């Protein structure tokens, strides 16, 4: 009887969160009814006040289970509710199955849907990292933003020079030779000279910003929260410190994936399928999850492809592996040989270089999962 009583006392609280407001409603499964629908200001204290007022009506034994959809508002509400003793979950938007027959969509309807979804458990929860891990993740995102700005500023400069008929005849942009060529450029028109100088200032400033950020990330890699995982990842060929920090800060807890396949699926590196009856058809990769992580693993696979054919390690890889656990180093070396063989095998079968490296990236993801979960047998 006690168990039934406890089940009846559970109230599911759906919250449709926005920058300025939260739409909240309660759902009781036994009555299949929604209660106390309300829109409040986007502040945690308002949500807590709402829950306390509902508790006074439903009784002190009421147990709240709150949830909201992951979005740009982050995990602040989740953390605040957890600190106050309220169970909360952040739901992955891609896991929420909304009906195609739904003709009305507004904040109230969304809050009701989230509350009922909490009861049916028809969702996947987002992994909420610690505040320290999230700060490192934001730092990695900032580096990515600056890389994008640098790329754009370089493209704008090269486009400007092309329009003015100043074309670099040799191969390799942004090498020392190319930069020396840029330094010697002359413009008869004063206005064009000023434009060129402004573009150069933008490129140089972004390069300096990026260098500063990357140096700081190398310092962050030595902090306790990520050091152990980073030290393992850098033993892999093609994964240096900056890539390792980005992977660790983005993924968080690797043990939440029950297998290497599930980790690859999270990264969007598994194949789509369109099979029916006796016909089986495999399509391209799903491309779900983090685009940045997927790109990093593909680049790492390309780097492994270029390693020494005779298996000789580079000086940088030897430095990264120095002093590390021999079992970890042996596992990382096994990954390098396996991926080189995988790429060569696929290309011999006529697969394109892009298909081969993407398949190798999936293989690398499986090895990374094994390393991070101590499945290195």
């Amino acid at each position: 009887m006690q168990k039934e009583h406890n089940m009846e006392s559970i109230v599911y609280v759906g919250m449709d969160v926005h920058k300025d407001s939260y739409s909240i409603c309660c759902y009781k499964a036994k009555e299949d009814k929604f209660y106390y629908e309300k829109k409040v200001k986007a502040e945690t204290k308002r949500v807590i006040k709402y829950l306390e007022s509902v508790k006074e009506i439903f009784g002190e034994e009421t147990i709240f289970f709150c949830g909201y959809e992951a979005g740009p508002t982050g995990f602040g509400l989740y953390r605040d509710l957890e600190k106050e003793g309220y169970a909360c979950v952040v739901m992955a938007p891609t896991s929420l199955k909304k009906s195609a027959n739904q003709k009305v969509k507004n904040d109230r309807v969304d809050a009701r849907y989230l509350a009922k979804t909490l009861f049916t458990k028809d969702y996947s929860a987002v992994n909420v990292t610690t505040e320290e891990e999230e700060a490192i993740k934001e730092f990695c995102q900032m580096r990515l933003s600056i890389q994008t700005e640098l790329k754009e500023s370089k493209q704008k400069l090269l486009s400007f020079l092309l329009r003015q008929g100043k074309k670099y005849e040799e191969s390799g942009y942004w090498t020392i030779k190319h930069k020396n060529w840029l330094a010697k450029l002359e413009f008869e028109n004063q206005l064009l000279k000023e434009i060129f100088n402004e573009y150069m200032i933008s490129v140089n400033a972004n390069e300096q910003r990026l260098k500063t950020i990357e140096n700081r990330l190398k310092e962050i890699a030595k902090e306790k929260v990520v050091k152990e995982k980073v030290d393992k990842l850098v033993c892999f060929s093609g994964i240096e410190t900056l890539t390792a920090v980005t992977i660790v800060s983005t993924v968080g807890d690797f043990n939440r994936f029950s297998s290497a396949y599930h980790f690859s699926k999270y990264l969007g590196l598994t194949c789509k399928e369109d099979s029916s009856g006796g016909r089986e058809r495999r399509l391209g990769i799903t491309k779900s999850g983090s685009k940045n992580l997927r790109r990093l693993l593909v680049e790492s696979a390309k780097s492994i492809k270029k390693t020494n054919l005779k298996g000789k390690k580079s000086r940088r890889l030897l430095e990264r592996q120095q002093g590390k656990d021999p079992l970890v180093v042996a596992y990382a070396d096994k990954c390098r040989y396996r991926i080189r063989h995988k790429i060569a095998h696929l290309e011999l079968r006529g697969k394109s270089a892009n298909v081969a490296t993407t398949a190798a990236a999936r293989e690398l993801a499986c090895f990374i999962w094994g390393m991070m979960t101590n499945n290195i047998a």
Side-chain angles (χ1 to χ4, degrees):
M1 291 297 292
Q2 182 65 34
K3 183 177 180 182
E4 183 182 352
H5 176 75
N6 286 337
M7 288 298 292
E8 289 179 5
S9 65
I10 296 176
V11 175
Y12 300 92
V13 184
M15 299 180 288
D16 187 43
V17 301
H18 296 281
K19 182 183 71 171
D20 299 317
S21 64
Y22 298 156
S23 292
I24 317 173
C25 82
C26 295
Y27 174 72
K28 293 197 86 173
K30 187 175 182 182
E31 292 93 349
D32 191 24
K33 284 186 178 180
F34 299 97
Y35 297 92
Y36 310 112
E37 296 170 273
K38 189 175 182 180
K39 180 173 279 193
V40 300
K41 194 175 179 181
E43 296 175 352
T44 305
K45 63 181 181 180
R46 305 276 180 154
V47 178
I48 293 170
K49 186 178 179 181
Y50 166 86
L51 294 175
E52 289 173 349
S53 65
V54 172
K55 197 168 191 177
E56 288 178 4
I57 300 167
F58 281 146
E60 285 299 318
E61 61 182 14
T62 303
I63 300 169
F64 292 106
F65 187 49
C66 310
Y68 64 95
E69 193 175 351
T73 55
F75 303 131
L77 177 58
Y78 168 89
R79 293 194 180 101
D80 291 339
L81 290 176
E82 288 283 326
K83 285 177 185 176
E84 293 295 326
Y86 295 104
C88 187
V89 66
V90 182
M91 294 176 270
T94 53
S95 69
L96 299 174
K97 301 174 180 65
K98 300 194 177 179
S99 173
N101 297 322
Q102 183 179 328
K103 304 299 181 183
V104 178
K105 185 188 183 304
N106 54 45
D107 295 347
R108 176 171 166 270
V109 170
D110 288 346
R112 283 188 167 200
Y113 170 74
L114 293 173
K116 200 160 189 177
T117 303
L118 286 171
F119 166 67
T120 60
K121 298 182 181 177
D122 195 16
Y123 66 89
S124 296
V126 171
N127 177 57
V128 180
T129 55
T130 64
E131 292 185 49
E132 195 173 0
E133 288 172 334
E134 189 177 354
I136 296 173
K137 180 181 176 180
E138 290 288 350
F139 209 93
C140 292
Q141 288 289 345
M142 180 175 65
R143 173 179 172 251
L144 180 62
S145 297
I146 294 172
Q147 280 181 319
T148 303
E149 288 178 32
L150 176 59
K151 182 180 178 181
E152 288 176 354
S153 61
K154 285 179 175 180
Q155 286 175 335
K156 287 175 182 177
L157 173 60
L158 293 177
S159 297
F160 165 73
L161 293 176
L162 188 60
R163 290 195 300 271
Q164 304 309 315
K166 301 201 180 282
K167 186 178 177 182
Y168 184 61
E169 300 296 340
E170 298 185 44
S171 61
Y173 288 119
W174 308 109
T175 59
I176 293 174
K177 268 188 175 183
H178 181 236
K179 288 182 177 180
N180 289 337
W181 175 78
L182 287 172
K184 294 175 183 176
L185 286 178
E186 295 289 342
F187 292 87
E188 292 182 6
N189 187 293
Q190 182 62 30
L191 194 57
L192 292 178
K193 186 176 181 180
E194 289 177 20
I195 294 170
F196 172 72
N197 290 338
E198 287 298 326
Y199 278 131
M200 282 301 300
I201 288 169
S202 178
V203 170
N204 293 333
N206 284 325
E207 282 183 336
Q208 186 57 48
R209 287 171 66 205
L210 185 61
K211 187 176 180 181
T212 302
I213 292 297
E214 290 181 343
N215 288 337
R216 182 71 182 101
L217 269 176
K218 288 175 183 177
E219 294 175 6
I220 291 170
K222 298 174 184 177
E223 294 182 4
K224 186 178 178 181
V225 67
V226 294
K227 186 178 187 306
E228 184 181 351
K229 292 178 180 178
V230 169
D231 284 348
K232 287 182 177 181
L233 280 181
V234 295
C235 291
F236 285 111
S237 177
I239 298 181
E240 298 203 23
T241 303
L242 298 176
T243 301
V245 174
T246 304
I247 293 171
V248 169
S249 64
T250 305
V251 177
D253 182 16
F254 286 84
N255 288 301
R256 62 195 171 100
F257 303 102
S258 58
S259 66
Y261 169 78
H262 286 101
F263 180 56
S264 300
K265 188 177 180 182
Y266 160 77
L267 295 173
L269 288 169
T270 53
C271 293
K272 291 183 283 188
E273 185 176 354
D274 181 19
S275 300
S276 179
R279 176 180 64 86
E280 286 191 9
R281 186 184 176 198
R282 304 289 180 180
L283 306 174
I285 59 172
T286 62
K287 295 186 180 179
S288 60
S290 171
K291 180 181 178 180
N292 185 36
L293 277 189
R294 199 162 52 251
R295 178 182 58 81
L296 287 176
L297 291 187
V298 170
E299 287 179 356
S300 296
K302 287 179 181 178
S303 178
I304 293 172
K305 178 184 176 181
K306 296 175 183 177
T307 55
N308 192 289
L309 286 170
K310 297 179 181 178
K312 185 179 178 182
K313 298 179 185 178
S314 67
R315 179 179 55 82
R316 288 191 300 180
L317 179 58
L318 287 170
E319 287 175 357
R320 298 202 303 271
Q321 292 182 345
Q322 189 175 4
K324 303 298 190 300
D325 185 342
L327 288 175
V328 169
V329 174
Y331 181 77
D333 290 344
K334 178 183 174 182
C335 170
R336 181 163 60 98
Y337 292 127
R338 174 68 177 264
I339 287 178
R340 279 194 58 83
H341 174 75
K342 180 97 174 179
I343 293 173
H345 174 69
L346 289 172
E347 289 183 346
L348 282 172
R349 284 176 52 194
K351 298 292 183 182
S352 69
N354 287 341
V355 170
T357 51
T358 302
R362 180 168 60 247
E363 199 86 10
L364 177 58
C366 294
F367 272 97
I368 288 172
W369 178 86
M371 180 80 85
M372 294 294 97
T373 56
N374 293 319
N375 290 294
I376 58 175

